[in-house]
mmCIF file of all heavy atoms in Angstrom:
data_model
loop_
_atom_site.group_PDB
_atom_site.id
_atom_site.type_symbol
_atom_site.label_atom_id
_atom_site.label_comp_id
_atom_site.label_asym_id
_atom_site.label_seq_id
_atom_site.Cartn_x
_atom_site.Cartn_y
_atom_site.Cartn_z
ATOM 1 N N LEU A 1344 111.254 90.827 109.509
ATOM 2 C CA LEU A 1344 110.354 90.743 108.374
ATOM 3 C C LEU A 1344 110.876 91.596 107.224
ATOM 4 O O LEU A 1344 111.318 92.722 107.425
ATOM 5 C CB LEU A 1344 108.959 91.273 108.777
ATOM 6 C CG LEU A 1344 107.923 91.429 107.675
ATOM 7 C CD1 LEU A 1344 107.481 90.062 107.173
ATOM 8 C CD2 LEU A 1344 106.729 92.197 108.208
ATOM 9 N N ALA A 1353 101.347 89.670 89.051
ATOM 10 C CA ALA A 1353 100.007 89.259 88.648
ATOM 11 C C ALA A 1353 99.851 89.278 87.136
ATOM 12 O O ALA A 1353 99.004 88.583 86.592
ATOM 13 C CB ALA A 1353 98.961 90.169 89.294
ATOM 14 N N VAL A 1356 103.338 86.195 86.111
ATOM 15 C CA VAL A 1356 103.489 84.865 86.695
ATOM 16 C C VAL A 1356 102.306 83.996 86.281
ATOM 17 O O VAL A 1356 101.160 84.341 86.544
ATOM 18 C CB VAL A 1356 103.587 84.957 88.241
ATOM 19 C CG1 VAL A 1356 103.609 83.566 88.855
ATOM 20 C CG2 VAL A 1356 104.807 85.751 88.644
ATOM 21 N N PHE A 1363 110.517 81.913 95.269
ATOM 22 C CA PHE A 1363 110.547 83.249 95.841
ATOM 23 C C PHE A 1363 109.231 83.640 96.510
ATOM 24 O O PHE A 1363 109.170 84.638 97.202
ATOM 25 C CB PHE A 1363 110.915 84.276 94.766
ATOM 26 C CG PHE A 1363 112.249 83.974 94.140
ATOM 27 C CD1 PHE A 1363 112.316 83.418 92.885
ATOM 28 C CD2 PHE A 1363 113.425 84.209 94.831
ATOM 29 C CE1 PHE A 1363 113.542 83.112 92.307
ATOM 30 C CE2 PHE A 1363 114.653 83.904 94.270
ATOM 31 C CZ PHE A 1363 114.709 83.362 93.009
ATOM 32 N N ASN A 1364 108.157 82.897 96.271
ATOM 33 C CA ASN A 1364 106.870 83.163 96.904
ATOM 34 C C ASN A 1364 106.802 82.353 98.194
ATOM 35 O O ASN A 1364 106.289 81.249 98.227
ATOM 36 C CB ASN A 1364 105.711 82.771 95.984
ATOM 37 C CG ASN A 1364 105.666 83.605 94.735
ATOM 38 O OD1 ASN A 1364 106.225 84.689 94.692
ATOM 39 N ND2 ASN A 1364 105.008 83.107 93.719
ATOM 40 N N LEU A 1436 102.181 102.976 82.500
ATOM 41 C CA LEU A 1436 101.062 102.475 81.708
ATOM 42 C C LEU A 1436 101.532 101.653 80.518
ATOM 43 O O LEU A 1436 100.958 100.611 80.205
ATOM 44 C CB LEU A 1436 100.191 103.643 81.253
ATOM 45 C CG LEU A 1436 99.480 104.396 82.379
ATOM 46 C CD1 LEU A 1436 98.799 105.640 81.838
ATOM 47 C CD2 LEU A 1436 98.500 103.498 83.109
ATOM 48 N N ARG A 1439 102.469 98.131 81.546
ATOM 49 C CA ARG A 1439 101.302 97.256 81.684
ATOM 50 C C ARG A 1439 100.729 96.883 80.327
ATOM 51 O O ARG A 1439 100.315 95.756 80.104
ATOM 52 C CB ARG A 1439 100.233 97.920 82.548
ATOM 53 C CG ARG A 1439 100.386 97.545 83.998
ATOM 54 C CD ARG A 1439 100.849 98.694 84.822
ATOM 55 N NE ARG A 1439 101.165 98.272 86.178
ATOM 56 C CZ ARG A 1439 102.381 98.340 86.666
ATOM 57 N NH1 ARG A 1439 103.377 98.706 85.915
ATOM 58 N NH2 ARG A 1439 102.618 98.026 87.919
ATOM 59 N N ARG A 1454 89.722 94.099 77.133
ATOM 60 C CA ARG A 1454 88.847 94.516 76.029
ATOM 61 C C ARG A 1454 87.380 94.246 76.369
ATOM 62 O O ARG A 1454 86.509 95.050 76.039
ATOM 63 C CB ARG A 1454 89.232 93.809 74.740
ATOM 64 C CG ARG A 1454 90.435 94.399 74.067
ATOM 65 C CD ARG A 1454 90.632 93.829 72.649
ATOM 66 N NE ARG A 1454 92.034 93.853 72.336
ATOM 67 C CZ ARG A 1454 92.874 92.828 72.458
ATOM 68 N NH1 ARG A 1454 92.450 91.651 72.866
ATOM 69 N NH2 ARG A 1454 94.149 92.970 72.162
ATOM 70 N N SER A 1464 86.526 85.021 84.754
ATOM 71 C CA SER A 1464 86.916 85.379 86.122
ATOM 72 C C SER A 1464 88.405 85.162 86.411
ATOM 73 O O SER A 1464 89.009 85.947 87.135
ATOM 74 C CB SER A 1464 86.072 84.616 87.147
ATOM 75 O OG SER A 1464 86.314 83.231 87.045
ATOM 76 N N ARG A 1478 86.682 95.045 91.347
ATOM 77 C CA ARG A 1478 85.399 94.358 91.391
ATOM 78 C C ARG A 1478 84.314 95.377 91.724
ATOM 79 O O ARG A 1478 84.509 96.231 92.586
ATOM 80 C CB ARG A 1478 85.400 93.266 92.459
ATOM 81 C CG ARG A 1478 86.195 92.062 92.102
ATOM 82 C CD ARG A 1478 86.157 91.042 93.251
ATOM 83 N NE ARG A 1478 87.417 90.358 93.327
ATOM 84 C CZ ARG A 1478 88.466 90.745 94.033
ATOM 85 N NH1 ARG A 1478 88.411 91.821 94.773
ATOM 86 N NH2 ARG A 1478 89.579 90.059 94.020
ATOM 87 N N LEU A 1485 87.590 99.071 84.903
ATOM 88 C CA LEU A 1485 88.970 99.529 84.977
ATOM 89 C C LEU A 1485 89.148 100.318 86.260
ATOM 90 O O LEU A 1485 88.243 101.019 86.694
ATOM 91 C CB LEU A 1485 89.330 100.388 83.764
ATOM 92 C CG LEU A 1485 89.810 99.649 82.508
ATOM 93 C CD1 LEU A 1485 91.110 98.937 82.755
ATOM 94 C CD2 LEU A 1485 88.810 98.731 81.906
ATOM 95 N N PRO A 1488 89.921 106.194 85.619
ATOM 96 C CA PRO A 1488 89.763 106.770 84.276
ATOM 97 C C PRO A 1488 91.073 106.877 83.498
ATOM 98 O O PRO A 1488 91.075 106.757 82.281
ATOM 99 C CB PRO A 1488 89.190 108.169 84.540
ATOM 100 C CG PRO A 1488 88.713 108.166 85.942
ATOM 101 C CD PRO A 1488 89.451 107.087 86.667
ATOM 102 N N ALA A 1495 92.079 101.940 76.455
ATOM 103 C CA ALA A 1495 91.090 102.014 75.377
ATOM 104 C C ALA A 1495 91.738 102.514 74.095
ATOM 105 O O ALA A 1495 91.382 102.078 72.999
ATOM 106 C CB ALA A 1495 89.946 102.932 75.780
#
Side-chain angles (χ1 to χ4, degrees):
L1344 173 70
V1356 175
F1363 302 104
N1364 295 340
L1436 295 172
R1439 268 110 188 116
R1454 282 191 209 97
S1464 64
R1478 287 179 215 89
L1485 274 296

